[in-house]
Every structure is written in C-alpha cells, then in structure tokens.
Amino acid sequence: MALSHAILVCLTERPMSGYDLAKFFDTSIAFFWKATHPQIYRELKKLEEQGCVTSNEEVQSGKPNRKVYSITDAGRDALKAWSREPVALPLIKDDLLVRLQAIEHVDKDALRAQVRARLAAHREQLEQYHHIRDMRFSGGAAVPEDLGKLMGLELGIQYEQGWIAWCESVLERLERA
Amino acid sequence: MALSHAILVCLTERPMSGYDLAKFFDTSIAFFWKATHPQIYRELKKLEEQGCVTSNEEVQSGKPNRKVYSITDAGRDALKAWSREPVALPLIKDDLLVRLQAIEHVDKDALRAQVRARLAAHREQLEQYHHIRDMRFSGGAAVPEDLGKLMGLELGIQYEQGWIAWCESVLERLERA
DNA sequence: GGCAACATGTAACTTGTTACATGATTCC
DNA sequence: GGAATCATGTAACAAGTTACATGTTGCC
C-alpha cells in the first residue's frame, strides 16, 4: 500500500539498492515510516513487475553484486496519482501509553525505568535532528526542493521536545507517588 | 503481541463484550492503539484459550446475545509480566510526511488540501480531549488509579497542539510558494 | 421503506516481523 | 579467531484490513 510509495519517494532522491533503502529507512525517513529489509526486497520485486522501477546489477569485486533500482516514468506517474488520494491520520501504537492506562496493574519500578529509557531515547533523537538541521539547513533557509524535508525535520524536532517535556513531568509525578 | 495486552488493560476497567471493546478502541484509547473488530474477536478467542479471560453469555431479548469477557487472575499475571518487558519506541507511519519528503513530485494543490484537512482533524481531536479533561479531571487532580489516564490525556493534548501549530506554519509556507 | 445501531462472527488478503541462509572482506 | 559490514534473499509466522454474512429493533 503505502510502503511501495515510500520506496518510490526514496528513489526520487537517487537510485538505490535494497540494502541502501533498508539503511535509508533506518536513518533518514525512520521518523515517518519504518521498514525492514525482507519487506523492502519483497516490495521492490512487485514494483519491478509493475514497471515502476528498473534494476541493473552493478558488479563489484570482492563484495557481492549490488542490484540498483531506479524509478521509471511510470513510477513517477504512480507517485503523482497517489499524492492526490486522501491521507490517513497517522497511526500510533504505543506500549508505554497502554501501560500508563492500567497504572494500578503494572510494575511501577519497571514503568519508571521505561519512562527514563524513553526520555533518553527522545533526547538522543532530538540531538540527531538538531545535528541534521545544522548540517543541511544552517540559516533556516532551504531551496524549494528541500522545503518539505525541512518542514518534516521541524516536526520531528517539535515532536521530540514535546515527548521530552512530557516524560520529565511524568517521571516527577511517578517518583513522588 | 501487544494487542492482547491492550485488550487485557481495557478489561481491567470493566468486563466487556467484543463489540464494547471495538467501540472502546475507537474512542477511549484510540490515541495509543487502534484495533478493528475482526482483530478483537480473533484475539479474544486466543486469550480465552490461554485462560487470560473468561466469557459468559448475557441473554438479551430482541437484540442478539452479548458475550461478555472478564479478565482472570491469570490474565492479571500476564499483564504484570508484560509490564516488566522493555517498551518499544512508538512506531509512526505518516503518509503526509512521506509526501512532503518528495514535494517536487506530488500534486501541490492536493497537498495543501491534505494539510488543511489534517489541521481540521487535529483541531477536532484537541477539542475532544479538552472536553474529556474537563469532564473527568476538572481541577487537574486525579485519584491515583486515574493518574496514568490523566497523563496520557495530557500527552494527547500536547501532541495535537504541536500538530496544529506545525500545520499552520506549513500551510503558510505552502501558500506563499 | 431505508438507514443506523446493536451484536457476532468468517474469509481472503495484505503487511510486517523474526529467523534462517550464504559468503566475502576488513578490523580488532 | 571472531565480530562487523557489505549484500542478497527466502520461509514461516503474526498482525492488520476489507469485504462478506446474518438478523433484530428503533427512528425518520
């Protein structure tokens, strides 16, 4: 469904192998979409059958060969058609919030440790986003092609800041109780 | 995996039928976890086999019978054991952010309309959360059992406010371009 | 008469996860 | 010698979605 479109979006940037895509999903666009490598290889096969991407094998000495995929005109058309469809609200699945809901039925020490771990993860993520912003968008201005990426990054930064503040306030209250 | 635990959490509140649970997932805890009714019925069957819930049929005149599920002691134990496991970072899948990433390859009018629709959805959600907060937690104080629910609600409110601000700033920039 | 809500479920399908499988090179 | 990185994939399973199926009551 949308994974195929996310892959096409990545390939508008530059041609990539399945391996590259897996890493790209793990780093660059991990905030909006996640995918594991079996999923990516499976989807690339389908996209190739549909003619949305083409592959060509790059022979490498020593290392195994790379199969590099590029988006086709049909792929670009599919992307544009998809962009006109209505968007779904992002789905959230959060273990930690579910546990909070049943606060009287969970292990409170474990919960505190989990909130602390979450706080640390959000702080780290925020730092990474700041780093990317400083590297790619220093000054705040972006060329038109990159405006969307900058806005995505701004959302990420705001999102992490929100979580950090929330975790801190939750920890305070949990430690008092 | 975690859906079964989310169901158990709901059942700590009160016994419920599959239908009730589906509505509960749709309203109360929709922010943390979503589930459709076929999924819920399927999971309830498994949970009953494992002894984590028991069901008893409530005969109703006119309407079809309700099969009401209650959590068992084994279910409560399973919940506590699960609460000690490490939590995963919440996964996000957001179509809109993916489109923004490829801003030069999407239909810009459609994108603007989608951001406006998203903004409206977040505003509506925020209003609902405010309403719940005013109804259930007026004054801000919560009894210990409800503290987790209040904190979850606070996160929801903050989350929606963040999205609203972001959508507004994005719209402004998209309309300028 | 038609639609919505109540109430339960199945079937078919698509997505997503985890583990397995292979094999070379480079770094410690 | 062992672990990590590069690079591709398959198989089995779990989770999630969509459409189908049935039948009543109450409201407009």
Side-chain angles (χ1 to χ4, degrees):
Chain A
M1 185 108 298
L3 172 59
S4 56
H5 299 112
I7 288 176
L8 289 177
V9 165
C10 296
L11 293 181
T12 61
E13 198 110 336
R14 59 186 161 85
M16 285 194 239
S17 69
Y19 187 82
D20 294 337
L21 279 164
K23 276 205 303 184
F24 201 70
F25 269 92
D26 233 52
T27 53
S28 281
I29 64 161
F31 176 66
F32 328 117
W33 214 274
K34 282 176 183 76
T36 54
H37 81 269
Q39 243 183 308
I40 289 167
Y41 285 115
R42 193 208 263 152
E43 212 61 42
L44 281 171
K45 208 195 281 178
K46 276 193 220 165
L47 283 169
E48 194 165 26
E49 279 165 23
Q50 289 162 17
C52 293
V53 302
T54 43
S55 64
N56 81 309
E57 205 147 346
E58 244 176 47
V59 182
Q60 301 193 122
S61 57
K63 293 176 201 172
N65 293 349
R66 285 161 50 82
K67 206 167 154 188
V68 179
Y69 292 86
S70 315
I71 189 168
T72 62
D73 286 338
R76 264 178 281 262
D77 289 348
L79 208 52
K80 201 138 218 173
W82 166 73
S83 81
R84 293 192 182 103
E85 284 169 32
V87 284
L89 272 176
L91 57 76
I92 301 172
K93 304 219 152 177
D94 196 331
D95 260 32
L96 188 61
L97 277 296
V98 173
R99 283 164 210 217
L100 264 187
Q101 244 4 246
I103 201 164
E104 294 293 292
H105 299 269
V106 305
D107 186 317
K108 289 234 178 55
D109 291 326
L111 184 62
R112 269 188 288 268
Q114 287 156 7
V115 176
R116 273 194 294 268
R118 184 61 85 79
L119 175 58
H122 286 299
R123 279 184 176 148
E124 203 181 303
Q125 190 63 64
L126 177 62
E127 214 169 298
Q128 264 184 48
Y129 289 152
H130 276 322
H131 183 71
I132 297 171
R133 191 186 53 185
D134 295 345
M135 291 287 104
R136 286 202 54 175
F137 306 101
S138 48
V143 284
E145 310 93 85
D146 283 351
L147 179 62
K149 281 162 206 146
L150 174 60
M151 295 190 297
L153 192 57
E154 285 170 0
L155 181 73
I157 288 170
Q158 176 199 282
Y159 175 87
E160 301 301 338
Q161 285 171 339
W163 267 100
I164 290 168
W166 181 83
C167 284
E168 282 168 350
S169 115
V170 166
L171 267 180
E172 213 178 279
R173 277 180 279 177
L174 286 180
E175 261 141 33
R176 228 189 297 144
Chain B
M1 186 109 295
L3 172 59
S4 56
H5 298 110
I7 290 177
L8 290 176
V9 165
C10 296
L11 294 180
T12 62
E13 199 109 333
R14 59 184 161 88
M16 285 193 239
S17 69
Y19 187 83
D20 293 337
L21 278 164
K23 276 204 304 183
F24 200 72
F25 269 94
D26 234 52
T27 53
S28 281
I29 64 162
F31 176 67
F32 329 118
W33 213 272
K34 283 177 182 78
T36 54
H37 80 268
Q39 243 184 305
I40 290 167
Y41 285 116
R42 192 208 264 150
E43 212 62 41
L44 280 171
K45 207 193 282 176
K46 276 193 219 164
L47 283 168
E48 193 165 27
E49 279 165 23
Q50 290 161 18
C52 292
V53 302
T54 43
S55 65
N56 81 309
E57 205 146 348
E58 243 175 47
V59 182
Q60 301 192 120
S61 58
K63 294 176 200 168
N65 293 348
R66 285 161 49 81
K67 207 168 155 190
V68 179
Y69 292 87
S70 316
I71 189 167
T72 63
D73 287 339
R76 265 179 280 264
D77 289 349
L79 208 51
K80 200 138 219 172
W82 166 73
S83 81
R84 292 191 182 103
E85 283 168 31
V87 285
L89 272 176
L91 57 75
I92 301 172
K93 301 218 153 178
D94 195 331
D95 258 32
L96 188 61
L97 277 296
V98 173
R99 283 162 211 219
L100 264 187
Q101 246 1 251
I103 202 164
E104 294 292 295
H105 299 268
V106 304
D107 185 316
K108 289 233 176 59
D109 290 326
L111 184 62
R112 269 188 288 266
Q114 287 156 5
V115 175
R116 274 192 295 267
R118 184 62 84 76
L119 175 58
H122 286 299
R123 279 184 176 146
E124 202 181 305
Q125 190 62 65
L126 177 62
E127 214 169 296
Q128 264 186 49
Y129 289 152
H130 276 321
H131 183 72
I132 297 171
R133 193 187 52 186
D134 295 346
M135 291 287 102
R136 286 201 57 171
F137 305 103
S138 50
V143 284
E145 310 92 86
D146 284 350
L147 179 62
K149 280 161 206 147
L150 175 59
M151 296 190 297
L153 192 58
E154 286 171 359
L155 182 71
I157 288 171
Q158 176 199 282
Y159 175 87
E160 301 301 339
Q161 285 170 338
W163 268 99
I164 290 167
W166 181 84
C167 284
E168 283 167 349
S169 115
V170 166
L171 267 181
E172 213 177 280
R173 277 180 278 178
L174 286 180
E175 262 141 32
R176 227 188 298 145

